[in-house]
């Protein structure tokens, strides 16, 4: 009985892993797009909610 429960659990975890691998590349790509948009184009520092203080020195 316990072996059946463990087997069902492992199959369930495997199915969740397959769906996670299908979804993960899109999530990672979105996160990278957001991070690259939050960088200063001149010096490359991250600017979250404020302008960069490099003043073009980069």
């Amino acid at each position: 009985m316990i072996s059946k429960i463990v087997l069902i659990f492992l199959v369930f975890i495997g199915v969740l892993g397959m769906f996670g691998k299908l979804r993960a590349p899109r999530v990672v790509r979105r996160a990278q797009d957001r991070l690259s948009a939050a960088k200063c184009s001149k010096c490359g520092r991250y600017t979250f909610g404020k302008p960069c203080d490099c003043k073009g020195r980069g």
Side-chain angles (χ1 to χ4, degrees):
M1 182 65 183
I2 289 182
S3 61
K4 287 182 183 179
I5 293 172
V6 169
L7 183 64
I8 291 172
F9 175 75
L10 290 175
V11 169
F12 180 71
I13 294 298
V15 170
L16 282 178
M18 284 188 263
F19 283 119
K21 280 189 176 185
L22 291 175
R23 187 170 182 257
R26 285 182 268 160
V27 173
V28 171
R29 191 176 327 123
R30 286 184 203 152
Q32 287 174 347
D33 289 345
R34 286 186 196 144
L35 284 177
S36 65
K39 283 186 178 181
C40 175
S41 61
K42 295 182 176 139
C43 67
R45 291 174 61 189
Y46 289 103
T47 57
F48 291 109
K50 59 183 167 71
C52 186
D53 57 353
C54 71
K55 296 181 179 67
R57 297 173 285 157

